[in-house]
Amino acid sequence: MKIIYEDKYVIAVDKPSGKLSVSTDKEKERTMFHEVLEYLDFLNYKEDLDKYNVDEFISIKISKLFEMPFMQNIKKYYKEFEFIYNENNGIIDLLIDDGKKMIVVDYKMSEINKESYINQVKNYMDIVNKIFNKDVEGYIYSIMKCEYIKVDEI
């Protein structure tokens, strides 16, 4: 994708036909960002990112994720971590084991401060704590804004 125009409120891009760059009300999951994040090797992301035919815009946005503090000590990771625990089920975008604690990361395209998102991550944190019996941190990450919030402990 090529950025045609960008300001504080709008980003206009030139992109391949038929592939969403961001989610919509009808299509929430299959964006270019989510597809690359689903298949990317997080332990060798710089080398692996070169394998994908993505433009500079997507490459920069994804690379920014790996600069975040919660991405610095990955020992193991689980993408699209699906769980069923008692009567709860869901899919966690990214679950990281840094050897000491588990880290829940929920990707959003832009807005990250919605109460429903925060409650969702708190629920994930509680379930991960019960499954792995480890301390858990939670984050909501904005792909477009390249910023995050830390979700308060459960």
Side-chain angles (χ1 to χ4, degrees):
M1 287 185 301
K2 177 182 172 189
I3 299 175
I4 299 169
Y5 174 80
E6 180 176 7
D7 67 20
K8 183 177 177 181
Y9 303 101
V10 175
I11 296 176
V13 295
D14 181 19
K15 63 168 186 58
S17 174
K19 185 54 104 173
L20 296 174
S21 54
V22 298
S23 59
T24 67
D25 290 337
K26 292 181 181 179
E27 178 58 68
K28 297 198 180 291
E29 297 185 20
R30 300 308 320 160
T31 67
M32 291 158 93
F33 289 104
H34 282 92
E35 189 171 316
V36 173
L37 289 171
E38 183 177 340
Y39 294 106
L40 190 67
D41 177 357
F42 279 32
L43 297 178
N44 298 300
Y45 78 93
K46 288 180 183 177
E47 297 82 15
D48 202 40
L49 194 55
D50 291 337
K51 294 178 188 175
Y52 297 95
N53 188 20
V54 296
D55 59 43
E56 184 179 6
F57 177 76
I58 291 175
S59 182
I60 289 169
K61 293 295 184 185
I62 289 176
S63 294
K64 291 285 187 185
L65 168 65
F66 291 91
E67 295 175 10
M68 298 297 122
F70 53 85
M71 298 292 289
Q72 300 309 305
N73 295 308
I74 299 174
K75 303 292 185 236
K76 289 184 187 176
Y77 64 92
Y78 310 90
K79 296 183 282 183
E80 302 293 320
F81 181 81
E82 187 171 0
F83 65 86
I84 300 172
Y85 187 84
N86 292 335
E87 301 204 9
N88 294 297
N89 66 313
I91 300 174
I92 298 171
D93 290 333
L94 177 62
L95 182 60
I96 299 169
D97 184 342
D98 75 358
K100 296 179 183 175
K101 65 186 171 299
M102 302 302 289
I103 302 169
V104 171
V105 181
D106 192 36
Y107 308 130
K108 301 298 180 196
M109 290 310 296
S110 186
E111 180 61 41
I112 56 177
N113 283 305
K114 291 185 178 179
E115 188 175 340
S116 62
Y117 297 163
I118 294 167
N119 290 335
Q120 177 185 31
V121 171
K122 284 183 179 182
N123 185 49
Y124 290 167
M125 292 168 64
D126 182 48
I127 291 167
V128 167
N129 173 263
K130 291 173 181 168
I131 293 171
F132 290 91
N133 196 26
K134 285 187 172 184
D135 290 339
V136 181
E137 290 182 357
Y139 298 88
I140 304 172
Y141 180 74
S142 169
I143 293 171
M144 296 305 288
K145 295 178 181 178
C146 302
E147 58 189 32
Y148 69 92
I149 59 170
K150 183 174 182 181
V151 176
D152 292 332
E153 292 185 24
I154 47 177

